[in-house]
Amino acid sequence: MLRSNLSLRRIPLFAALPPTALDALAAMLRELTYPVGALLCAEGEYSELLYIVLQGSVEVITALGTADERLIAIREAGAFHQVFTP
């Protein structure tokens, strides 16, 4: 559970929701903290997660650890990134 719905209110996707809806959404979410450089998910792994960046930033990298490795995006606080792969 998120400590507060205030974190969600700062995100444009959720900003217009009424407080009761934000409270309900916050109750369904888990707030996690990752160390710098942590791998959240790997390319090709199955996942049905939505990551919401509350603080800091996340790099989206393809072909990690290969000669073709490429940074394709940086998600800053307030951004969200859905991971859904077959």
Side-chain angles (χ1 to χ4, degrees), residues 2 4 18 33 43 51 63-64:
L2 289 178
S4 162
T33 301
E43 186 174 6
Y51 289 94
L64 183 65

Side-chain angles (χ1 to χ4, degrees), residues 28-79:
M28 291 187 279
L29 299 176
R30 288 185 309 151
E31 186 170 340
L32 303 171
T33 301
Y34 294 94
V36 172
L39 182 64
L40 303 184
C41 58
E43 186 174 6
E45 287 183 354
Y46 179 80
S47 180
E48 294 179 351
L49 301 176
L50 174 68
Y51 289 94
I52 301 169
V53 182
L54 298 176
Q55 184 177 358
S57 62
V58 175
E59 294 179 339
V60 180
I61 300 171
T62 188
L64 183 65
T66 72
D68 295 325
E69 182 175 312
R70 186 168 48 111
L71 175 67
I72 57 173
I74 297 177
R75 304 288 190 219
E76 301 289 341

Side-chain angles (χ1 to χ4, degrees), residues 1-9 14 17-31 52 54:
M1 181 169 135
L2 289 178
R3 288 173 278 185
S4 162
N5 69 18
L6 295 175
S7 297
L8 293 176
R9 183 160 303 287
F14 307 119
L17 292 176
T20 54
L22 284 173
D23 288 341
L25 183 57
M28 291 187 279
L29 299 176
R30 288 185 309 151
E31 186 170 340
I52 301 169
L54 298 176

